[in-house]
Amino acid sequence: MKNLRRSFERFCLRNQNKGIRNLMLYICSGNAVVYLLSLISQNYYLYYLLCFDRTLILRGQVWRLVTYPLTMHAGMTGGLSILLVIISLLCYYSLGTVIERRWGTLKFNLFYLSGVVMMDVFCMFFPNCRADVYYLNLSLFLSYATMFPDATFLLYMIIPIKAWIFALIDLVLVALGIFQNSFPTNFFPIIALANYFLFFGADVLNLLPVKWRFKLRSLFRKKSAPQGPKVVHFRTAPQQEQKKQDYNHRCTVCGRTDVTNPELEFRYCSRCKGYYCYCQDHINNHVHIE
């Protein structure tokens, strides 16, 4: 599984510029157009034309499998002000743009598309469930909070709260819904957020404070007999090899160095067993070596 994830990361890195660039710009622009047309016409015809409907999809309206992400606010034209819609769209646009710059175009496209596809498949098998754009937006926020857990958001434009706190609250609410609802409705949030868990894996622990992470790892760590002080033996390379090595840091995932890419920052992962260096794009997004 680790080798598979590593191969996937390298594939996305080699083809990072392929795909639809600025995907969130098109999605947010489409949502704005659908919302404004619905607001002007004072009806929900466009919303009902694009939203997910299993019965109509089976009758041939297959475009609904991919158009429902454009109905974020179209079904609530009477309950939301234009200002709130603008703020919401700008927020999700900025989150998606930051993630795309961090991952690359291809990986972000696959992340968003996999969320759409998994919800489509689950809802087509279970008529009681309906694909909802809420979980796509939630997966974007959780991804951003995992990458930047210390980012600050202003609650009510006044109270500063860390991103990881908001993310944990959302996950707790999702977990409560799983226990309160019945099958298959209770299982739908797990499928809807499966793209988040698949793409991040064990890195979802970044949402926890550092102290909590160490305590959680200590519970699953095998207890060994007490030993003396640990001696770390650094490998000394031959002089000829040291002369050939014209860099100080090299990323284990992508192979970029501080010579080929001097603008990057390089760090060593404390969770990997050994001394493995990673660039700023992969220090929080790689398979840990044990």
Side-chain angles (χ1 to χ4, degrees):
M1 188 65 181
K2 293 181 180 179
N3 294 332
L4 181 62
R5 289 181 62 87
R6 191 176 301 172
S7 300
F8 175 75
E9 294 289 343
R10 291 177 178 175
F11 171 77
C12 292
L13 182 63
R14 290 194 299 267
N15 302 277
Q16 58 181 340
N17 294 325
K18 296 181 180 180
I20 304 175
R21 294 186 178 181
N22 297 321
L23 178 63
M24 287 306 299
L25 175 62
Y26 298 111
I27 293 176
C28 292
S29 300
N31 274 280
V33 171
V34 173
Y35 174 81
L36 290 176
L37 292 178
S38 301
L39 184 65
I40 294 172
S41 61
Q42 293 296 319
N43 59 56
Y44 299 112
Y45 174 77
L46 191 56
Y47 168 77
Y48 291 126
L49 183 65
L50 301 177
C51 68
F52 186 92
D53 191 315
R54 180 178 180 274
T55 303
L56 296 178
I57 292 174
L58 293 176
R59 293 179 181 176
Q61 298 183 14
V62 293
W63 65 81
R64 296 177 181 270
L65 293 171
V66 294
T67 56
Y68 67 89
L70 303 178
T71 61
M72 188 186 308
H73 304 297
M76 300 178 291
T77 54
L80 290 177
S81 64
I82 297 180
L83 180 60
L84 291 177
V85 173
I86 293 175
I87 294 176
S88 175
L89 292 178
L90 287 177
C91 178
Y92 289 118
Y93 167 73
S94 61
L95 293 179
T97 302
V98 171
I99 297 173
E100 182 176 351
R101 290 175 181 174
R102 184 71 175 271
W103 276 350
T105 301
L106 178 63
K107 187 175 180 179
F108 180 72
N109 284 187
L110 293 176
F111 172 79
Y112 200 89
L113 179 62
S114 61
V116 174
V117 171
M118 282 186 284
M119 279 197 295
D120 289 341
V121 173
F122 186 82
C123 294
M124 291 302 293
F125 275 103
F126 299 99
N128 295 333
C129 297
R130 186 174 184 177
D132 191 355
V133 78
Y134 165 78
Y135 289 103
L136 287 174
N137 297 333
L138 181 58
S139 66
L140 285 177
F141 175 74
L142 293 177
S143 301
Y144 180 85
T146 305
M147 293 179 181
F148 310 99
D150 293 327
T152 303
F153 290 86
L154 295 178
L155 181 63
Y156 303 117
M157 303 297 178
I158 300 176
I159 306 174
I161 299 180
K162 298 291 185 180
W164 66 269
I165 298 178
F166 275 124
L168 287 181
I169 293 175
D170 289 330
L171 290 176
V172 169
L173 294 176
V174 170
L176 290 176
I178 294 174
F179 294 102
Q180 291 176 355
N181 299 321
S182 58
F183 185 83
T185 306
N186 62 337
F187 199 66
F188 175 69
I190 300 177
I191 299 298
L193 296 178
N195 60 334
Y196 165 71
F197 294 106
L198 286 175
F199 274 71
F200 282 91
D203 290 334
V204 298
L205 295 178
N206 291 342
L207 297 177
L208 300 176
V210 178
K211 294 182 179 179
W212 295 8
R213 295 182 214 166
F214 283 110
K215 291 182 179 179
L216 186 62
R217 289 169 189 161
S218 62
L219 294 176
F220 298 96
R221 189 175 301 166
K222 295 182 179 179
K223 295 183 179 180
S224 57
Q227 300 177 355
K230 183 178 180 181
V231 179
V232 180
H233 299 279
F234 293 92
R235 292 182 299 176
T236 57
Q239 295 182 355
Q240 296 181 355
E241 185 178 350
Q242 291 181 356
K243 292 181 180 180
K244 294 180 180 179
Q245 183 177 350
D246 56 351
Y247 59 85
N248 295 322
H249 305 290
R250 181 178 182 272
C251 181
T252 306
V253 177
C254 62
R256 292 182 291 183
T257 67
D258 54 348
V259 176
T260 59
N261 298 85
E263 73 280 2
L264 296 177
E265 295 182 3
F266 294 84
R267 298 179 183 177
Y268 288 84
C269 181
S270 60
R271 293 182 56 187
C272 293
K273 186 176 181 181
Y275 298 92
Y276 293 91
C277 181
Y278 300 92
C279 65
Q280 63 187 34
D281 295 332
H282 296 101
I283 184 62
N284 294 322
N285 186 19
H286 67 271
V287 179
H288 299 287
I289 301 174
E290 297 180 355

